[in-house]
Amino acid sequence: MARKKIIAGNWKMNMTPSEAVSLVETLKPLVVNDEVDVVFCVPAIDIIPAMEAAKGTNINIGAENMYFEEKGAYTGEISPLMLKDAGVQYVIIGHSERREYFAETDETVNKKVLKAFEHGLTPIICCGESLTQREQGITLDWIRQQIKIAFLNVTADQAKTAVIAYEPIWAIGTGKVATTEQAEEVCAAIRVCIGEIYDQATADAIRIQYGGSVSASSAPELFAQPNIDGGLVGGASLKPDFGKIVNYK
Ligand code: 13P
């Protein structure tokens, strides 16, 4: 069965709650497309108002992060129970900005992935290499390691429902989109890696996105690749252009 594409916006630390409502209102009519899953991953404080504004539409409101405990003395963190109760399905885990600025590691990513699955949330698991790593020729080794650790103790049934976002760090927010060949090469290697950890059925089912300076002009070619099942979009998800990305065909 063909994999359904999933096109997600990552709003990062943008949009106050009232701005979030206006943005959802603006994008609502532009992102209609039943052939793809459309997700807006928004700051925690925007989840509830954005969810209200998106009611009755095809927009799924997701989260940008969560902690790996249910509750307790973890000031400032957001629990999977809070996300579930708010009606969230998708949560980004291990974005490179979380790894760089908030000390997340492959190990904490794995804990969060396991916790997300335990609570019926769908993780969008991020991986990606730095420019130095690409230049050193270790991209595929690095990505394989990130994937193997992220999926430790995750069952095949869980893995089948996961989303992986391949985001080369050098392409994030830089306007330097990876070439279609570079993006497809790594996404294909990720699928092979999932096949090695699990089996072909799991590799065939898991959805793998590309992220990093995706725009209305680069989306059609990227999303047409056999191993690219959609995108994780930063800057362009805050603009009407996101409608063109969702309707890339
Ligand atoms: P940009 O699309 O702004 O490059 O951001 C990509 C990203 O980090 C999405 O998670």
Side-chain angles (χ1 to χ4, degrees):
M1 214 181 78
R3 291 180 294 272
K4 191 174 186 187
K5 296 258 193 278
I6 174 163
I7 300 178
N10 173 8
W11 287 12
K12 307 194 177 182
M13 198 177 73
N14 293 294
M15 301 291 138
T16 63
S18 53
E19 288 168 343
V21 169
S22 326
L23 184 57
V24 171
E25 295 295 346
T26 305
L27 292 179
K28 239 189 226 185
L30 307 178
V31 297
V32 177
N33 182 353
D34 288 339
E35 286 179 26
V36 308
D37 285 328
V38 177
V39 187
F40 291 8
C41 294
V42 307
I45 197 169
D46 295 343
I47 290 174
I48 300 217
M51 193 86 73
E52 275 297 309
K55 230 178 221 160
T57 74
N58 61 321
I59 303 169
N60 287 281
I61 299 298
E64 299 178 9
N65 179 36
M66 59 159 239
Y67 196 49
F68 53 72
E69 297 290 351
E70 277 86 7
K71 60 172 156 175
Y74 304 105
T75 303
E77 289 296 314
I78 306 291
S79 127
L81 298 177
M82 297 169 189
L83 296 183
K84 267 315 258 193
D85 190 59
V88 164
Q89 183 61 48
Y90 295 96
V91 53
I92 299 174
I93 303 284
H95 191 279
S96 59
E97 288 149 17
R98 300 283 328 160
R99 297 176 191 251
E100 181 177 354
Y101 306 123
F102 304 101
E104 294 206 14
T105 63
D106 290 335
E107 287 69 28
T108 59
V109 167
N110 176 242
K111 285 187 182 180
K112 291 182 176 194
V113 167
L114 290 170
K115 197 49 88 174
F117 279 126
E118 190 182 320
H119 292 285
L121 293 159
T122 303
I124 299 177
I125 305 162
C126 299
C127 61
E129 82 288 2
S130 65
L131 188 56
T132 312
Q133 289 168 325
R134 178 155 284 271
E135 287 171 352
Q136 286 172 331
I138 61 170
T139 298
L140 297 185
D141 294 331
W142 175 257
I143 301 288
R144 285 171 61 84
Q145 173 167 317
Q146 286 190 317
I147 294 298
K148 284 188 176 168
I149 300 175
F151 282 84
L152 269 179
N153 299 319
V154 172
T155 68
D157 281 346
Q158 291 170 332
K160 282 189 179 96
T161 67
V163 179
I164 296 173
Y166 165 55
E167 300 202 303
I169 297 168
W170 49 272
I172 295 177
T174 56
K176 261 194 225 163
V177 63
T179 65
T180 308
E181 292 72 28
Q182 287 171 327
E184 168 62 15
E185 181 194 23
V186 179
C187 291
I190 292 171
R191 202 174 300 286
V192 168
C193 183
I194 293 292
E196 287 166 11
I197 303 171
Y198 301 100
D199 47 38
Q200 195 56 43
T202 309
D204 288 342
I206 201 164
R207 293 188 289 178
I208 305 175
Q209 299 173 313
Y210 166 79
S213 299
V214 173
S215 64
S217 58
S218 61
E221 201 181 301
L222 284 165
F223 299 171
Q225 300 310 304
N227 288 291
I228 301 181
D229 306 313
L232 185 56
V233 184
S237 73
L238 302 169
K239 301 182 197 145
D241 254 21
F242 194 58
K244 294 191 190 139
I245 295 175
V246 166
N247 291 287
Y248 62 97
K249 270 198 217 161

